[in-house]
């Protein structure tokens, strides 16, 4: 029997203390899933946990790569049923080479790369042995429409990291599908590519509310975003857009999807 996206029992959600991560956690709790959240700020996690029926929470900076192996050992020991990872934590920083010195730019860029790329990779690969011991498991990676078309020029590092998440998700999915076809366990890889959503992601911009609907009519509320994502989960899609990002995702795959499938032997 095919392991579907929502067949998992227990999920770890990074950046689960607010925004998209918290909204995902709310939905999964409502579906009777075990939900574990983690993030950098304990006070936010504590408040979120109370709203999520006192779900377990752990303080973890996903950019602290050295801390991840011990965290994985701890989390799988405390929650052996864990069979889903939602790589949601991320930062978006306005970085301009014309306005910033070398040290400031590279320091902030390195941290953004660690949180947006290295953390998700280390968590996914580190949890794979545990996930492969299950009858099925799911890895969900949150990318961005900006990883498909980098229109937010003030966020060059963010755009690049989310392009990495997109391509990493494609290749990871293919590798794990090939393993499953050879008799290995099923580990699904789902990519979620949000458009502009009214969260606090823009908190470091001059106007931190420029992703809210009253200032950006094309932006989605968190509720609108979740409506599209939940629909796609129930349809068992591997790549999920929401609102305006759905068309961008469809355009990208209509142009390059067949080429990728031919190159990887799917067609």
């Amino acid at each position: 029997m095919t392991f579907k996206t929502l067949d998992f029992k227990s999920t770890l959600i990074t950046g689960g203390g607010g925004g998209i991560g918290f909204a995902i956690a709310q939905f999964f709790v409502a579906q009777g899933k075990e939900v574990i959240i983690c993030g950098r700020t304990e006070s936010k996690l504590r408040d979120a946990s109370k709203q999520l029926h006192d779900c377990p929470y752990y303080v973890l900076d996903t950019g602290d790569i050295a801390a991840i192996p011990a965290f994985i050992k701890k989390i799988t020991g405390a929650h052996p049923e864990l069979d889903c990872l939602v790589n949601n934590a991320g930062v978006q920083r306005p970085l301009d080479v014309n306005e910033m010195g070398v040290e400031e730019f590279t320091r902030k860029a390195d941290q953004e790369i660690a949180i947006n790329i290295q953390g998700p990779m280390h968590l996914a690969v580190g949890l794979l042995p545990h996930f492969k011991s299950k009858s099925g498991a799911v890895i969900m990676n949150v990318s961005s429409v900006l990883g498909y078309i980098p229109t937010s020029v003030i966020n060059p590092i963010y755009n690049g990291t989310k392009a990495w998440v997109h391509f990493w998700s494609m290749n990871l999915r293919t590798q794990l599908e090939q393993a499953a076809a050879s008799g290995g366990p099923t580990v699904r890889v789902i990519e979620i590519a949000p458009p502009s959503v009214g969260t606090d992601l823009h908190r470091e911009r001059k106007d931190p509310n420029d992703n809210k609907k009253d200032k950006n009519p094309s932006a989605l509320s968190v509720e609108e975003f979740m409506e599209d994502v939940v629909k796609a989960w129930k349809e068992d899609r591997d790549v999920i857009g929401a609102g305006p990002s759905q068309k961008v995702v469809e355009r990208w795959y209509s142009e390059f999807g067949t080429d990728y499938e031919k190159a990887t032997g799917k067609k």
Side-chain angles (χ1 to χ4, degrees):
M1 183 179 295
T2 302
F3 192 88
K4 296 185 177 181
T5 305
L6 296 177
D7 284 348
F8 68 88
K9 299 175 183 176
S10 173
T11 183
L12 170 67
I13 303 174
T14 69
I20 287 174
F22 179 74
I24 291 174
Q26 282 184 307
F27 175 76
F28 289 155
V29 166
Q31 299 301 302
K33 310 291 188 184
E34 179 188 32
V35 170
I36 306 136
I37 59 174
C38 69
R40 290 185 289 174
T41 308
E42 185 166 12
S43 58
K44 287 183 65 176
L45 293 169
R46 189 185 308 114
D47 291 344
S49 172
K50 290 178 181 177
Q51 298 178 64
L52 297 168
H53 305 300
D54 295 316
C55 76
Y57 70 85
Y58 295 83
V59 177
L60 175 71
D61 178 357
T62 54
D64 183 2
I65 309 306
I68 288 179
F71 173 76
I72 290 173
K73 184 176 180 180
K74 181 178 182 180
I75 203 82
T76 53
H79 306 279
E81 292 299 308
L82 183 69
D83 55 356
C84 177
L85 167 67
V86 180
N87 267 322
N88 164 74
V91 294
Q92 184 190 94
R93 292 196 164 126
L95 300 173
D96 191 330
V97 294
N98 298 310
E99 297 179 357
M100 303 169 71
V102 173
E103 190 280 331
E104 182 187 10
F105 187 100
T106 55
R107 173 174 51 81
K108 290 182 176 180
D110 285 346
Q111 186 185 37
E112 191 166 358
I113 289 167
I115 292 171
N116 292 1
I117 290 180
Q118 292 179 288
M121 178 185 68
H122 281 257
L123 281 168
V125 175
L127 280 167
L128 269 179
H130 176 78
F131 284 169
K132 287 182 176 181
S133 72
K134 305 295 180 182
S135 59
V138 184
I139 296 170
M140 298 191 191
N141 294 325
V142 178
S143 63
S144 170
V145 69
L146 296 174
Y148 288 74
I149 308 175
T151 54
S152 185
V153 178
I154 64 170
N155 301 120
I157 303 303
Y158 183 84
N159 298 341
T161 63
K162 291 305 181 177
W164 182 92
V165 172
H166 166 51
F167 291 122
W168 155 251
S169 298
M170 289 181 70
N171 289 166
L172 181 63
R173 181 185 305 117
T174 298
Q175 290 184 5
L176 293 174
E177 285 177 345
Q178 289 170 345
S182 300
T186 297
V187 181
R188 297 285 306 280
V189 178
I190 310 300
E191 179 191 354
I192 303 171
S196 186
V197 181
T199 68
D200 66 350
L201 182 65
H202 290 188
R203 56 187 172 272
E204 295 189 30
R205 291 194 183 192
K206 292 179 181 177
D207 182 357
N209 294 311
D210 64 2
N211 60 343
K212 307 301 191 294
K213 292 184 76 70
D214 59 336
K215 295 187 175 183
N216 181 357
S218 66
L220 298 184
S221 67
V222 174
E223 292 75 18
E224 289 171 327
F225 169 76
M226 285 302 300
E227 184 177 343
D228 285 347
V229 171
V230 169
K231 181 176 183 290
W233 279 334
K234 291 180 177 179
E235 293 173 352
D236 214 34
R237 292 190 218 163
D238 287 334
V239 186
I240 299 171
S245 71
Q246 292 185 67
K247 290 185 178 180
V248 174
V249 168
E250 289 168 2
R251 282 173 57 199
W252 195 95
Y253 277 93
S254 67
E255 181 68 28
F256 302 111
T258 301
D259 292 339
Y260 180 76
E261 290 180 351
K262 287 180 180 177
T264 56
K266 281 190 173 183
K267 284 190 176 181

